[in-house]
Amino acid sequence: LTATLFGSRVSNPIEVERETAYEITNADRPTTTIGLEMLGTVRKAPFALTGSYTFVRSREEDSGVRVESAMTPNRSLGIVGMWEREDVGRVGVEYYFTGRQRLVANPYRSRSKAYSILGALAEKKFGPVKVFLNAENLTNTRQTKFDPLILRAPGPDGRFTVDAWAPLDGRTFNAGVRLTF
């Protein structure tokens, strides 16, 4: 089990205005971040379970008001379970949760939705050859299921899209062969 407390303070941070004009300035007040990350693993052969949790509070100034820093989820969680036998192979599942976060220059919403992602891995060993199948984002979570990516009109900075705050690619499957020499 590991726990990490962290924090930072950035004086005179760069601030980018993109909603009404495209302007880069230094903010008058510092950006501050504090947080806690915990990571733990439990093993009882042939199983292993790893979990992580992160809490972040990041604050900055926006138009003279202290607000949460954009694109920084307050909470995230991950759980990975694995069965593994050295001469046979392994099978694993993973679950990730990402909490809500403040958004800027997004006409569809000011806060993102929380979302979850599920994945799986299977690998079989045949002597020096390992064959694997990997499945990512089985929940098919995509930002486009919440809102469009395309803006109705280009923003002041010339962009035609909003910032990515969730996966863009949906379900992904891949397979392959690994050779051991």
Side-chain angles (χ1 to χ4, degrees):
L1 180 64
T2 302
T4 304
L5 289 170
F6 57 89
S8 69
R9 177 185 169 97
V10 178
S11 298
N12 303 311
I14 301 271
E15 185 175 68
V16 180
E17 168 59 42
R18 304 187 303 173
E19 294 186 58
T20 57
Y22 185 61
E23 192 175 79
I24 300 173
T25 59
N26 285 94
D28 294 330
R29 296 183 62 193
T31 296
T32 57
T33 302
I34 59 168
L36 167 69
E37 180 179 47
M38 296 184 296
L39 175 70
T41 300
V42 176
R43 287 186 179 89
K44 180 148 176 70
F47 299 100
L49 182 67
T50 301
S52 64
Y53 174 79
T54 305
F55 170 79
V56 176
R57 182 177 170 123
S58 185
R59 310 276 291 164
E60 63 186 32
E61 188 170 306
D62 185 15
S63 302
V65 177
R66 291 296 277 174
V67 295
E68 291 178 12
S69 295
M71 308 297 291
T72 307
N74 309 29
R75 292 171 173 70
S76 56
L77 171 85
I79 300 171
V80 177
M82 185 72 70
W83 171 90
E84 184 172 13
R85 287 252 165 97
E86 190 170 325
D87 294 330
V88 178
R90 60 187 173 159
V91 176
V93 293
E94 58 187 3
Y95 169 80
Y96 295 102
F97 168 82
T98 300
R100 293 171 37 130
Q101 51 198 304
R102 185 174 78 88
L103 304 175
V104 294
N106 187 323
Y108 307 114
R109 64 181 63 244
S110 60
R111 291 188 60 76
S112 72
K113 295 274 192 178
Y115 62 89
S116 296
I117 295 175
L118 184 65
L121 166 75
E123 182 179 83
K124 176 73 175 143
K125 186 173 182 182
F126 300 97
V129 176
K130 293 179 182 177
V131 177
F132 69 88
L133 174 62
N134 187 45
E136 296 288 338
N137 196 359
L138 291 171
T139 52
N140 201 26
T141 300
R142 294 191 315 265
Q143 186 170 328
T144 53
K145 287 190 169 191
F146 301 108
D147 302 306
L149 291 175
I150 307 298
L151 295 169
R152 294 178 189 110
D157 58 356
R159 295 182 336 144
F160 287 89
T161 61
V162 297
D163 290 328
W165 53 264
L168 301 177
D169 53 357
R171 284 187 197 100
T172 305
F173 297 91
N174 59 66
V177 177
R178 297 180 188 170
L179 300 173
T180 306
F181 297 100

